[in-house]
Amino acid sequence: MAKVTFISEKCKGCELCVNVCPKHIIAMNKQNLNEKGYHPAYVTDMDKCIGCAFCATICPDCVIIVEK
Amino acid sequence: MGQKLLMKGNEAIAEAAIRAGCLHYFGYPITPQTEISHYMAKKLPKVGGVFLQAESEVAAINMVYGSGSTGTRVMTSSSSPGISLKQEGLSYIAGSQIPAVVVNIVRSGPGLGGIQPAQSDYFQSCKGGGHGDYRQIVLAPSSVQELYELTVEAFNLADRYRMVAMIMGDGNLGQMMEVVEFRNEEPIEHYDKQWATVGHENSREQNVVTSIHLNPAVLEKMNLDLQEKYRVIKEKECRYEIYNQDADIFIVAYGIVARIAKSVIEMAKDKGINVGLLRPITLWPFPDQAFDQVIDKAKAFLTVEMSSGQMLEDVKLALNGRKPVYFHGRMGGMVPARDDIMKEIRNIYNLHVKND
Amino acid sequence: MAIVFQKPKALKDTPMHYCPGCTHGIAHRLVAEALDELDIEGKTIGIASVGCSYNSYDYFGCDMIQAPHGRAPAVATGVKRSKPDNVVFTYQGDGDLAAIGTAEIVHAAARGEKITVIFINNTIYGMTSGQMAPTTLLNQYSTTTPYGRIADQHGFPINVCEMLATLEGPAYIERVSLHDVKHIKKAKQAVKKAFKVQIANKGFSLVELLSTCPTNWGLSPVESLKRVEDDMIPHYPLGVFKGKDLEV
C-alpha cells in the first residue's frame, strides 16, 4: 500500500505530475481553485498508488509527500 | 615606538594591512599601485594569508565582497581606471553593509589618462561612483607614515561601521620612499560579526548577505538605516589638520598637495604673508567643522588640487559663502608648483589682506 | 507506512515564486537534497546570482550571499579562499554565467577553485522576460531575436561544459537534464557528486542542468519539457565532460 498527500495550497497547476503517473490517477481539480488561484492537482484513486514518487520527483514545488 | 624602515608608499600600505590582521587580498595589476600586490604575494603566504590575483578588478572587488561577508578582514587595491571597474561592487558592499578596505592610488584621467599622480577621483570616491545613495569613508594620507597609520585605521573603521573604508593616495605617495616608524602593537579593534556567512552549523538562524529588497518600504528602511549610520560617522569620524591656526589666508589641500602647501607657507612667511593650511584627512566625512575654527580670522581660502577642482565644491559648501574661495589646480599628472601657488596667494593678499 | 519522499530539510518552507512548471524548483530541490544527504547544510554557503533565482536565499536554508550579475564565481572564490573548510556553491542562470559572467566562470574554473557551480541553462533570460541568452538556440525566438536567432547577426550558442572542459582547472563537469523523471534522478546524482568532489577537495565542479522557461518560451510546462528533449539536448548533449573516472 502507498499513499500520496498533495499540499494543494502549494500547487501551481502546472500539470507535470499528471503526465508522469504510471497509474494515471492524477488529475486537475477543475471544480475549484486554491488560494493562489490555480486548479490544484489531486489523486483520483489512492488505492492504485504504488508509491513510485514519480509525481513528487517532477513536481517543482514540493507539493507532494509520498508514503509507502 | 617600534622598528623604523625606509619604505615605498605602496609597500607601507601592504605591510600596514597585514599588521592590521588583513590576511586576504585580491588584486589586479595596474600602475602605479602594483607593488601592493607584489608585497602581498610575497608576504601573505608566509603569515597564513591568501593572495589572489583576480582576472579583473571587477572580479577582485567581488572576491572582497565574498571574503568580507565571512567576517574576514580583506583588502583590494587599484588605481583610477581599476577603481572605476569596481564601482558596482562597491555599491553592493555598501548596500549589504560588508566591511572592506579599498585602496585607490590615483592616476591622471579620464580614460586611460596617464600614470602620473592626480586627485581627480575625489568625486568618484566621495560622492559615490556607483549607483544608489551610499557613502564610503575616504581617508587621504599625505605621507608614507600616514599611509601606514591610516590603513590600519581604515580596517577599524570598516569593521566598526560595516562599510568600505577607502585609502585615497596618488601616484606620488604610492611610489615615493620615506621612513616609516612602526608601532610594536597595532590598535586592532575586534568586533563580534554575528552577521557573517560562515555556515550556521545548525546552531543558529540562516545569515543572508544581500542588498536587494524588492519591497520599497523595506528598501527605504534599509536606506534610512544607512543614512543614520552616515550621519553618526559625519558627527564622529571627521579628521583634519590645521597648520598655523591664526593665518589670514588658508590653503585647503590634501594628500601630497598639502605638503607642497606647507613649503608655500614658509615662502609666504618670509614675505610677511600669514598663510595657514587646512588639510582634510577624511575626504568623506568632509570636515566642515575645521572651517568654523578658522573662519573668524581667515580672509580667504585657496583650494589647491591635482584636478579641475572637485574638493573645491565641498570647501564652498562648508564655507557657505561666508568667505571667498579661490582655486588653483593642475591636471594630466602635472603637480602644482610652489611658485604658482605663491602667485595666487599674493593676489589674494593684495585683494583681501593688504589694506585691511 | 514511512515517508519516502518529501521536501528536503535544506529547502525552507517559503513557497517559490517561480512560474508554474519552471524546473528551477526541481533544481533547487536537488541541491537541497544533496545538502541534506551529505549533511553539509550547516557548513555550506550559497551564492545567489541575478536572474529568476536572485532570491534563492529565500529558499535554501544555508547561509547565503546575493552576488552581482555574473559575479557569483568571484564572490564564491572570495568566500572559499577565506573559509576553505566551508562548502561553497553558486546557483546561476545562463545569462548570469555565460554572458556577463563569462570571465568569472572561466577563471574560477581555470584556477580550479574548490567550489560547486549549479548552472541552469534554459536558453533565455527569464527574469527580464525572454531576451536572447548566450545559450539561445539558432532560429529560437526571443524578445530580442523577434525573427529568430540568426547566426550572422546574433552569433552562435555557447556550450559551456565543452568550453570549460578544455581547461585543466576543473575536476568535474557534467551536463544533465530535468525533462523527465529518469533524467531528474540522474541529475540528482550529478549534483550530489559535484558537492562530493568539493568535499573531497578534488577541485572545481560544475553541473549544467537543462531547464525550462514555459512563460518566455510560450509553451505549456509539459510542452516545455518536450522542447528540452527535442530541441535542446541535440545541441547540448548530456554527459560527463570532465572527471569521468573521478572517484569520490
Side-chain angles (χ1 to χ4, degrees):
Chain A
M1 249 304 276
K3 179 176 158 232
V4 285
T5 313
F6 280 58
I7 310 166
S8 59
E9 282 322 305
K10 290 175 80 171
C11 177
K12 292 177 185 165
C14 75
E15 305 187 26
L16 291 186
C17 54
V18 173
N19 271 31
V20 298
C21 174
K23 294 298 176 188
H24 311 298
I25 53 168
I26 302 176
M28 304 312 288
N29 181 341
K30 295 296 181 189
Q31 274 61 48
N32 54 41
L33 303 170
N34 66 9
E35 206 184 288
K36 289 183 200 276
Y38 294 113
H39 291 293
Y42 72 105
V43 174
T44 54
D45 184 351
M46 193 63 82
D47 298 340
K48 291 203 181 106
C49 175
I50 57 171
C52 68
F54 278 15
C55 56
T57 302
I58 206 149
C59 172
D61 289 280
C62 300
V63 171
I64 306 164
I65 297 166
V66 183
E67 291 161 281
K68 208 170 167 183
Chain B
M1 280 297 256
Q3 195 190 19
K4 274 189 180 177
L5 276 174
L6 179 64
M7 279 189 108
K8 196 174 222 187
N10 283 334
E11 288 167 349
I13 293 170
E15 177 60 25
I18 295 172
R19 284 167 174 263
C22 167
L23 296 180
H24 293 81
Y25 171 87
F26 304 93
Y28 189 84
I30 183 166
T31 304
Q33 61 81 49
T34 318
E35 291 86 353
I36 298 175
S37 296
H38 301 169
Y39 196 92
M40 288 303 204
K42 247 185 272 169
K43 283 284 180 95
L44 280 181
K46 292 215 166 53
V47 293
V50 171
F51 161 81
L52 181 58
Q53 181 177 314
E55 59 270 26
S56 72
E57 290 93 343
V58 174
I61 191 68
N62 280 286
M63 292 174 187
V64 163
Y65 174 39
S67 177
S69 295
T70 70
T72 309
R73 279 196 157 186
V74 61
M75 181 169 100
T76 186
S77 64
S78 189
S79 173
S80 306
I83 298 291
S84 294
L85 285 173
K86 294 180 192 287
Q87 294 304 315
E88 182 201 37
L90 290 172
S91 174
Y92 270 70
I93 289 171
S96 311
Q97 302 202 68
I98 297 301
V101 171
V102 177
V103 178
N104 182 6
I105 302 299
V106 182
R107 61 189 257 175
S108 40
L112 197 47
I115 57 169
Q116 300 300 329
Q119 298 181 322
S120 37
D121 295 358
Y122 181 97
F123 281 156
Q124 179 186 57
S125 318
C126 303
K127 306 295 176 181
H131 55 288
D133 286 299
Y134 76 94
R135 295 292 192 164
Q136 47 203 21
I137 293 171
V138 183
L139 299 156
S142 75
S143 67
V144 178
Q145 181 72 25
E146 270 195 345
L147 282 174
Y148 152 56
E149 288 174 8
L150 290 178
T151 297
V152 174
E153 184 55 11
F155 281 97
N156 287 338
L157 289 166
D159 277 347
R160 191 182 311 160
Y161 294 103
R162 284 180 62 183
M163 63 194 289
V164 165
M166 176 177 275
I167 296 290
M168 201 156 115
D170 62 68
N172 278 351
L173 284 166
Q175 293 297 328
M176 69 197 227
M177 293 186 84
E178 278 182 326
V179 172
V180 182
E181 194 158 357
F182 288 103
R183 292 168 284 225
N184 289 329
E185 233 195 290
E186 297 302 341
I188 297 175
E189 291 168 12
H190 296 280
Y191 292 89
D192 180 13
K193 299 178 177 176
Q194 288 297 328
W195 46 265
T197 50
V198 289
H200 57 53
E201 300 297 349
N202 305 312
S203 60
R204 62 159 166 72
E205 281 299 305
Q206 167 194 44
N207 279 346
V208 176
V209 168
T210 183
S211 54
I212 184 166
H213 307 282
L214 286 186
N215 176 336
V218 173
L219 185 55
E220 182 179 51
K221 171 70 173 63
M222 192 274 276
N223 268 282
L224 289 170
D225 293 346
L226 282 183
Q227 292 304 318
E228 173 54 17
K229 174 166 80 172
Y230 300 145
R231 189 194 61 73
V232 167
I233 294 167
K234 181 113 179 125
E235 196 181 277
K236 284 193 182 157
E237 305 295 351
C238 283
R239 289 164 169 70
Y240 55 89
E241 174 197 1
I242 293 177
Y243 180 80
N244 190 10
Q245 174 100 14
D246 57 2
D248 297 319
I249 303 169
F250 270 89
I251 297 175
V252 186
Y254 67 92
I256 200 76
V257 177
R259 301 193 41 178
I260 302 168
K262 281 187 177 169
S263 47
V264 170
I265 289 168
E266 298 318 312
M267 273 176 77
K269 196 186 288 177
D270 301 342
K271 297 178 172 33
I273 303 174
N274 190 1
V275 181
L277 166 70
L278 193 155
R279 174 169 77 97
I281 296 172
T282 52
L283 301 184
W284 193 86
F286 191 73
D288 298 332
Q289 64 269 49
F291 293 82
D292 301 335
Q293 290 176 31
V294 300
I295 196 144
D296 297 341
K297 187 150 186 306
K299 301 289 185 299
F301 293 79
L302 171 66
T303 305
V304 185
E305 295 173 71
M306 292 195 290
S307 73
S308 61
Q310 297 187 19
M311 177 180 65
L312 173 64
E313 294 189 1
D314 280 335
V315 172
K316 286 182 174 173
L317 284 172
L319 290 169
N320 207 2
R322 291 178 283 173
K323 287 290 169 68
V325 181
Y326 295 87
F327 171 69
H328 175 72
R330 298 301 298 268
M331 296 179 285
M334 299 300 288
V335 180
R338 216 179 27 168
D339 299 338
D340 294 340
I341 302 172
M342 192 58 222
K343 220 179 288 161
E344 299 283 341
I345 291 288
R346 181 164 292 289
N347 294 341
I348 294 169
Y349 177 77
N350 295 338
L351 266 172
H352 296 285
V353 182
K354 202 163 86 182
N355 33 35
D356 252 24
Chain C
M1 280 199 295
I3 292 183
V4 293
F5 198 107
Q6 64 182 325
K7 180 181 75 59
K9 189 178 69 58
L11 265 190
K12 295 200 272 192
D13 292 332
T14 337
M16 295 191 204
H17 72 286
Y18 300 114
C19 304
C22 167
T23 50
H24 260 308
I26 300 172
H28 277 45
R29 193 189 71 232
L30 298 186
V31 172
E33 282 168 353
L35 299 185
D36 280 2
E37 288 161 26
L38 298 169
D39 190 21
I40 50 173
E41 183 196 336
K43 62 179 190 146
T44 296
I45 299 154
I47 315 296
S49 57
V50 170
C52 286
S53 64
Y54 80 93
N55 65 331
S56 54
Y57 51 78
D58 284 335
Y59 309 128
F60 292 127
C62 54
D63 277 0
M64 295 285 293
I65 302 170
Q66 203 285 319
H69 196 30
R71 317 307 175 199
V75 175
T77 298
V79 174
K80 187 73 180 189
R81 292 298 182 115
S82 308
K83 300 286 174 190
D85 299 334
N86 281 85
V87 175
V88 181
F89 75 92
T90 73
Y91 187 101
Q92 302 174 254
D94 43 25
D96 188 274
L97 182 136
I100 189 170
T102 318
E104 280 74 13
I105 194 64
V106 165
H107 286 278
R111 288 192 303 265
E113 293 297 339
K114 298 180 180 63
I115 60 175
T116 298
V117 174
I118 305 298
F119 167 39
I120 305 298
N121 175 4
N122 61 7
T123 74
I124 201 127
Y125 278 73
M127 166 65 81
T128 44
S129 73
Q131 296 73 26
M132 178 186 89
T135 48
T136 294
L137 298 174
L138 289 179
N139 309 317
Q140 180 181 336
Y141 291 96
S142 77
T143 46
T144 46
T145 56
Y147 311 108
R149 180 173 192 171
I150 304 153
D152 186 45
Q153 281 177 46
H154 313 115
F156 297 88
I158 294 176
N159 285 47
V160 169
C161 285
E162 290 84 338
M163 181 175 75
L164 295 181
T166 63
L167 301 169
E168 311 229 354
Y172 175 66
I173 295 178
E174 181 167 3
R175 178 182 295 127
V176 295
S177 173
L178 299 175
H179 71 277
D180 63 28
V181 172
K182 188 179 76 157
H183 284 87
I184 291 170
K185 290 185 173 185
K186 278 192 71 190
K188 171 178 172 146
Q189 293 319 314
V191 167
K192 203 169 167 182
K193 182 169 180 182
F195 278 102
K196 280 186 184 167
V197 166
Q198 179 176 167
I199 295 164
N201 238 344
K202 290 271 193 331
F204 176 87
S205 54
L206 176 143
V207 179
E208 176 177 348
L209 300 101
L210 298 186
S211 295
T212 63
C213 182
T215 299
N216 288 303
W217 289 359
L219 298 172
S220 75
V222 172
E223 291 161 345
S224 301
L225 292 183
K226 197 82 183 66
R227 176 179 184 254
V228 173
E229 188 171 17
D230 299 345
D231 299 357
M232 287 175 64
I233 289 180
H235 187 85
Y236 298 110
L238 307 183
V240 179
F241 293 85
K242 205 74 190 297
K244 254 196 197 60
D245 39 28
L246 193 60
E247 283 310 311
V248 277

